[in-house]
Amino acid sequence: MQEVMMMNSTELSMSNTTSGDTSMFCPINPQHISISLLICLTFLVGLLLNIFSLWVFTCKTPEWTSSTVFQVHLAVSDVIICPMGPFMAVYYHTANWIFGKALCRLKIALMTFHIDSSILFLTLISVHRYVVVVRYNQDSYMNRKDFVQKLCFGVWLLVLVKGTVLATILDTSTVDNYTLCLSFQQRQYTDFFFLVNFTVLIPGLLLAFIVSAICYSLLVRSMSRLDISHDSGQAIKNKSCKMVAVCLAIFVVCFTPMSVVRSVGLVVKKFFPLECSLFLKLETAYYVSWVLAGANCCLDPIIYCFSCQKFMKTFHISLRRIGLRFEMGQDESS
């Protein structure tokens, strides 16, 4: 009789586990409100800066160079993700996607478009800077606007296909009465997330970073051989070195933490599913890393300042006008 009871108990335990016993998984963990506020602030500032950048490029820059074309497309890639900031902020704080399946798929697509296109355009800007400055050749393809436009079109086509495929495959899930969208806690997608991360995302980021680092290393070495006895040579060297620092900082500060935390989190989720304390800390770290990833929208306009004198001049004029209007408003109120 006792053996029968033990067998029934074992069968019941196995039945609960296979049917999705929630005690076998980590609880859903809403994030602190500070993460949501930082997400909103970051994307708001990024949206304003990149709208201003596009205004300068389209209205104040009558003649585009091949460099300008890359920068315009980079600004567009930053703008498309910014409107998703409030939706992401609400979701991170409540851990509950209340906006429906269609907006979830749109979020997945836009996040893919933004991250992938930003990485690719930053890499192409690195290659372009190396070719134009170090391997200067007026007939180079990188100096032809029509070729650069086709290259940018190819980037958008690639990210459009990838984003559409991911948005088609992934969907919302209901776990413990929470509706999830693109979350580690979506258990049916754990293997898929793991596969995509380690076969596509991580190799892609590493390759882009290596290419950019090589280009900028060669660029800096070339700059060291410039004749800096004249002001023009000194200016070229200073501007190029600052541009190098900003581009590499975007890779290291904005994209690397997210990739590292995501990779570790997926390993823990797949191979150590009961390590809830560690997993929940990694999940919080991942959402914080999204604040850093969103900061690339705010840092990219610095590149435009270093590469385009017209952009910097227009930026200074706009700041002076804003300051003048602010002072006039204070005088009138007093």
Side-chain angles (χ1 to χ4, degrees), residues 42-73:
T42 300
F43 282 119
L44 175 61
V45 174
L47 180 64
L48 295 176
L49 286 175
N50 284 283
I51 287 178
F52 172 78
S53 300
L54 290 174
W55 172 73
V56 172
F57 288 137
T58 55
C59 300
K60 300 295 182 178
T61 311
E63 185 176 353
W64 288 6
T65 63
S66 55
S67 178
T68 308
V69 174
F70 280 128
Q71 293 162 20
V72 168
H73 285 275

Side-chain angles (χ1 to χ4, degrees), residues 125-139:
I125 288 173
S126 304
V127 175
H128 176 268
R129 192 71 177 176
Y130 167 74
V131 171
V132 170
V133 176
V134 180
R135 300 290 183 183
Y136 180 76
N137 185 352
Q138 196 66 35
D139 296 328

Side-chain angles (χ1 to χ4, degrees), residues 130-295:
Y130 167 74
V131 171
V132 170
V133 176
V134 180
R135 300 290 183 183
Y136 180 76
N137 185 352
Q138 196 66 35
D139 296 328
S140 171
Y141 283 110
M142 279 296 185
N143 277 323
R144 301 179 184 178
K145 286 189 291 183
D146 56 342
F147 173 78
V148 170
Q149 286 282 20
K150 292 176 182 177
L151 204 56
C152 293
F153 175 77
V155 169
W156 284 115
L157 183 61
L158 180 64
V159 300
L160 179 63
V161 171
K162 181 182 175 183
T164 303
V165 170
L166 290 178
T168 303
I169 294 174
L170 302 176
D171 199 355
T172 57
S173 304
T174 301
V175 180
D176 298 343
N177 296 321
Y178 289 92
T179 301
L180 305 181
C181 172
L182 198 62
S183 169
F184 287 147
Q185 299 275 27
Q186 291 179 280
R187 298 153 196 163
Q188 74 272 32
Y189 294 133
T190 299
D191 291 336
F192 179 77
F193 288 155
F194 189 88
L195 177 66
V196 171
N197 183 72
F198 287 99
T199 61
V200 179
L201 301 182
I202 294 298
L205 178 62
L206 284 175
L207 179 61
F209 178 78
I210 290 172
V211 170
S212 297
I214 291 173
C215 288
Y216 284 127
S217 298
L218 295 174
L219 178 62
V220 170
R221 189 172 68 177
S222 175
M223 292 300 102
S224 66
R225 295 196 296 265
L226 279 178
D227 180 11
I228 60 173
S229 59
H230 303 288
D231 292 339
S232 58
Q234 184 67 56
I236 292 173
K237 180 177 180 179
N238 290 338
K239 184 172 66 174
S240 298
C241 289
K242 290 176 181 178
M243 190 173 177
V244 170
V246 173
C247 288
L248 291 181
I250 291 173
F251 271 108
V252 174
V253 175
C254 299
F255 297 126
T256 302
M258 181 179 63
S259 299
V260 172
V261 175
R262 183 183 62 225
S263 300
V264 176
L266 287 172
V267 169
V268 172
K269 184 65 177 176
K270 182 174 176 63
F271 298 107
F272 309 97
L274 299 184
E275 294 289 339
C276 288
S277 177
L278 175 60
F279 174 77
L280 293 178
K281 291 177 181 178
L282 288 169
E283 188 177 35
T284 298
Y286 179 70
Y287 291 132
V288 172
S289 71
W290 253 106
V291 178
L292 296 175

